[in-house]
Amino acid sequence: KGAPAVADLSRVTAHFRVAKFLINLSVKDTRMGLANGVDGLEMREDKTKQPIDFVVGEEDVGEEGEFVPHCIGQCLLMPPGGVTAGMRFELILRDGVRISDMDKNVSEAYAFGSLSDNALPDNSGPIVIKIEVDKVVPDISGPSGSGWQGLKSFQDERERAKYLEDVDGGRHWQKALKRWRRMLSWLEELLQGRRWQISDHGVPAESAVAATAGASMYDLEWDADEDEGGNASVGNAIADAAA
């Protein structure tokens, strides 16, 4: 009770298995790994293998070992009531998923035109997906939400946006744009919802003299979560976000 549920941009740590429906042929399984067998190296289930960490909505970003099919994030958002840490569930997708979602190299081949539907149909057919959720870290919802860390939240969001712009040959520019737009909405929320203080040095703020002489100065106070501490000026925030 009270545990955070998976939402868009949540950071999730989980194991998952994607298999052909009925024949139970594994398409992708995070517990599978190479092991020495009678005839040499072979794929076996490794119960000690660590779960994969990924961001919902950005599952397919990163290197081969970090690649997660987009359908996993979609499935995490489907169960009524939300998915929390410790949950295990299965979903049957009658219409299947895109083959290009299953593997990073295949995904890039479709994205850059090396493969097409004529060469390899981009559909798996009916599949069953099993997911075991180990951990859920909710995304920052903004200045009024929990986990807000003031200027650090802007800096972290900026770094993520820049990373999304550059990784995988710029394929994820739309995901980066989503991050940049979030930063703008955060700034707008701060400007509209935080406390404005007018330091007029004894001169009324609405006075024309104050306006022309520059005797009035507007300061926007915006603090991090009480648990985190810290504050910064909105001018610094804007400059840092735009840098």
Side-chain angles (χ1 to χ4, degrees):
K1 184 178 179 179
V6 175
D8 188 37
L9 298 184
S10 292
R11 184 167 290 277
V12 176
T13 306
H15 273 299
F16 59 86
R17 184 176 190 266
V18 182
K20 285 279 196 177
F21 188 51
L22 296 180
I23 61 175
N24 199 31
L25 176 65
S26 177
V27 177
K28 194 174 185 69
D29 190 338
T30 59
R31 291 192 182 276
M32 297 295 285
L34 288 173
N36 288 319
V38 178
D39 299 322
L41 290 175
E42 58 185 33
M43 292 295 291
R44 287 184 183 176
E45 182 179 6
D46 182 359
K47 294 184 178 181
T48 66
K49 197 171 182 182
Q50 294 297 309
I52 292 181
D53 184 75
F54 59 93
V55 176
V56 175
E58 299 175 356
E59 304 90 353
D60 57 345
V61 178
E63 301 302 322
E64 179 64 33
E66 303 170 347
F67 185 89
V68 173
H70 180 57
C71 61
I72 300 301
Q74 292 177 314
C75 288
L76 285 167
L77 299 174
M78 289 182 183
V83 173
T84 58
M87 285 185 61
R88 299 182 180 185
F89 64 96
E90 292 185 5
L91 289 174
I92 296 174
L93 303 184
R94 183 182 60 184
D95 296 329
V97 296
R98 296 170 57 187
I99 295 295
S100 57
D101 278 351
M102 294 295 103
D103 180 84
K104 182 177 177 63
N105 292 327
V106 176
S107 177
E108 291 180 344
Y110 273 102
F112 295 117
S114 301
L115 279 177
S116 66
D117 281 340
N118 294 329
L120 179 66
D122 194 12
N123 189 277
S124 65
I127 61 167
V128 57
I129 296 180
K130 178 181 180 180
I131 304 178
E132 303 174 19
V133 181
D134 183 68
K135 184 179 180 181
V136 177
V137 178
D139 178 49
I140 297 173
S141 59
S144 60
S146 62
W148 180 251
Q149 299 179 41
L151 186 58
K152 185 179 185 302
S153 294
F154 277 99
Q155 293 171 330
D156 291 345
E157 191 76 358
R158 180 193 64 180
E159 291 305 312
R160 182 65 179 179
K162 286 184 175 180
Y163 173 74
L164 291 170
E165 284 181 346
D166 298 335
V167 72
D168 293 336
R171 284 179 52 206
H172 307 295
W173 65 269
Q174 289 178 314
K175 296 181 179 70
L177 183 60
K178 181 178 179 179
R179 295 278 184 173
W180 289 119
R181 284 174 172 169
R182 287 209 322 159
M183 294 179 67
L184 291 176
S185 69
W186 291 350
L187 285 172
E188 183 178 5
E189 183 177 347
L190 287 169
L191 289 169
Q192 292 179 350
R194 293 289 175 167
R195 299 186 303 274
W196 286 90
Q197 291 183 338
I198 301 175
S199 176
D200 56 19
H201 304 291
V203 181
E206 61 276 13
S207 167
V209 176
T212 55
S216 294
M217 181 174 66
Y218 295 88
D219 293 324
L220 178 64
E221 296 181 354
W222 55 292
D223 301 329
D225 258 8
E226 291 182 2
D227 292 339
E228 302 293 341
N231 55 73
S233 71
V234 72
N236 289 339
I238 296 172
D240 191 69

